[in-house]
Amino acid sequence: MNQKDAAYTYIDTHSGAGVYALDSFQATKTGEYDTGIGPLWNATNVPAALQPYLDLVKRMNPSGKMRYYPGSPYVADQMSRPEDRLRLFELHPADVKILHENVRKAEAHKAEQGERARGKRVIIEHGDGFQSLKKLLPPPSRRALVLVDPPYEVKDDYKKVRDALEEALGRFPSGMYAVWYPVLQRMESRQFPDKLKRLPAKEWLNVTLTVSTPGPDGIGLHSSGMFILNPPYTLEPMLRETMPWLVQVLGKDSGARFTIETGTQLTGAASARLAGEGPRTPVGNARRASPLSGKGSLRLPGQSMVREGDEEARGAKPAASAPAAGKTGARRVWRPDGNAQGKPQGEPKAGAAGDGRGPGKRPATAGPRQAAPRTAGPGAGGPRSAGPRSAGPRSAGPRSGGPRSSSGGKGGGNR
């Protein structure tokens, strides 16, 4: 964001306290920093892209002892420029009070160093960050980075994130949106990335980091992810450089790994334009997550019903008739060794060869169909002949399929 001269707005929907004391009762009770910033504190051979982050943390601890850790508002304040704006939201009354105090101390420290006050550069509001996005988008500068980082302690948070992003993209399609999420056993968490992939953003990037093999009880945060809508083109190469190093330093057993996925949005009008109007297919684990056979139960919004006999016809389509992988939003999946997975995923199918149709289309013209005369029942005036009837396709309304899940468990807490 800093590489362009134009100012931007940083929006944090769940800011938290801004700065955290690692010697506090809560921090020492959970000891989460021992598996995160702890191993990185004295690490060597740090990738260049990660060094500014570690330098920032060490500047907060000039004594050399790790006592304080920055939250996202503090990092954004230190990394942004005087012309950029920060809009911070926090709903918890105790945390928003601490956030105000931490921002005040940071501004006072800068004043002592000779920096002039920057007015309303940083504005903190006690409120719901999901709802507050509406009044801030689009920003005056037409550049924005939005961080969405809820605790996910309530399963409704997953739906709130998706709904808020869908509305935000409608108001400001070119904005950059970064979403943190936990990778848990609960159904809402497992399906979350696939739902974000269907949002109307031009491009997306999904990266996950796993530090240990999940336990048999499924308790504990062993893996988490970041999903970025409209990511900068420099981000994927940077992640390919840093993620293997993080797995090596933070990994606890052979289950430690990372994944990187990239793709484009192909729903609605974009799907018809980029994929030759081919039929849409479920992405990710949508089919594996359903115990149903699949006849109509896994249709996506806007996807037509599969009729009897069409399965065989679709299965006989030659691979050569499929659109090029570069035009279908096929995803690249990077494994810990840095190699890409060979087979593209989520690739729409083309129409059957020799059936007189284009990919996913019915014939443009259909002749009238004459119904055979039928004998009327008792009391009728004799057989009647039906007139010509149009054979045009019927439109099947969108229907969401698959089972609902109400699994419990918490995925939040201090990270």
Side-chain angles (χ1 to χ4, degrees):
M1 298 295 287
N2 290 346
Q3 290 178 6
K4 293 185 179 180
D5 294 335
Y8 61 86
T9 300
Y10 169 81
I11 304 173
D12 200 327
T13 62
H14 296 75
S15 298
V19 177
Y20 301 92
L22 298 181
D23 55 0
S24 66
F25 172 77
Q26 181 65 24
T28 55
K29 179 181 178 181
T30 60
E32 291 177 344
Y33 61 90
D34 287 334
T35 60
I37 186 59
L40 303 181
W41 182 255
N42 295 316
T44 58
N45 299 323
V46 178
L50 199 59
Q51 192 62 55
Y53 158 73
L54 293 177
D55 291 343
L56 187 150
V57 178
K58 292 186 176 182
R59 284 198 302 268
M60 294 184 67
N61 301 272
S63 66
K65 181 181 179 181
M66 188 171 55
R67 293 187 57 198
Y68 301 104
Y69 184 74
S72 51
Y74 187 92
V75 175
D77 182 42
Q78 296 297 310
M79 300 297 291
S80 57
R81 306 160 301 180
E83 63 268 25
D84 303 320
R85 297 291 179 263
L86 278 68
R87 300 295 179 259
L88 312 177
F89 298 92
E90 177 54 46
L91 192 57
H92 196 284
D95 284 348
V96 74
K97 184 178 180 180
I98 299 174
L99 179 61
H100 272 286
E101 184 65 15
N102 284 328
V103 170
R104 185 193 65 79
K105 290 180 180 179
E107 293 294 326
H109 177 72
K110 291 177 181 178
E112 292 175 358
Q113 305 301 317
E115 296 187 25
R116 63 179 183 178
R118 290 175 282 184
K120 294 184 177 181
R121 176 179 178 272
V122 181
I123 297 180
I124 304 171
E125 291 190 28
H126 179 204
D128 188 343
F130 290 133
Q131 299 297 324
S132 301
L133 279 176
K134 301 176 182 179
K135 62 182 180 182
L136 295 177
L137 299 177
S141 64
R142 292 303 190 270
R143 296 188 70 209
L145 169 61
V146 180
L147 176 64
V148 184
D149 182 20
Y152 298 98
E153 293 177 348
V154 181
K155 64 180 181 180
D156 288 346
D157 279 349
Y158 295 94
K159 184 178 185 302
K160 288 181 179 179
V161 170
R162 189 204 170 280
D163 292 346
L165 289 174
E166 186 173 33
E167 184 170 5
L169 286 166
R171 293 172 176 269
F172 188 43
S174 62
M176 189 185 305
Y177 304 88
V179 183
W180 180 89
Y181 65 94
V183 179
L184 305 172
Q185 294 299 315
R186 66 191 310 175
M187 186 66 69
E188 293 82 9
S189 176
R190 291 162 54 191
Q191 295 179 344
F192 188 57
D194 286 341
K195 292 182 178 180
L196 296 184
K197 292 170 188 175
R198 299 189 182 108
L199 288 171
K202 183 178 179 181
E203 295 180 354
W204 54 263
L205 185 150
N206 184 36
V207 53
T208 65
L209 173 63
T210 301
V211 297
S212 63
T213 304
D217 54 4
I219 298 176
L221 185 60
H222 56 80
S223 182
S224 62
M226 288 292 297
F227 197 101
I228 300 95
L229 298 166
N230 299 323
Y233 71 93
T234 57
L235 182 57
E236 184 184 349
M238 186 186 302
L239 289 171
R240 290 205 305 269
E241 175 189 354
T242 57
M243 295 306 294
W245 186 86
L246 286 174
V247 169
Q248 181 181 2
V249 175
L250 300 179
K252 292 185 170 299
D253 55 34
S254 60
R257 59 187 178 86
F258 75 93
T259 63
I260 300 175
E261 298 176 283
T262 60
T264 55
Q265 170 61 21
L266 291 175
T267 60
S271 177
R273 183 173 64 255
L274 298 179
E277 298 184 0
R280 295 171 57 198
T281 58
V283 298
N285 64 351
R287 185 166 295 278
R288 294 195 302 270
S290 175
L292 305 178
S293 61
K295 281 192 178 179
S297 64
L298 293 176
R299 284 189 301 143
L300 303 176
Q303 185 178 11
S304 60
M305 172 73 79
V306 180
R307 303 193 177 202
E308 291 291 339
D310 285 356
E311 295 88 344
E312 294 77 4
R314 291 187 180 184
K317 297 169 188 173
S321 65
K327 298 182 180 181
T328 60
R331 294 171 289 164
R332 290 172 288 173
V333 181
W334 293 90
R335 292 179 173 175
D337 57 3
N339 295 323
Q341 189 172 346
K343 187 177 180 180
Q345 304 175 23
E347 198 167 293
K349 299 178 181 179
D355 61 358
R357 295 184 282 174
K361 290 184 178 180
R362 293 183 179 274
T365 58
R369 184 172 62 187
Q370 185 72 25
R374 55 183 178 181
T375 304
R384 59 181 180 180
S385 176
R389 183 168 56 179
S390 172
R394 297 180 181 178
S395 175
R399 181 176 62 182
S400 59
R404 297 182 180 177
S405 171
S406 59
S407 59
K410 293 186 178 181
N414 293 331
R415 292 175 296 284

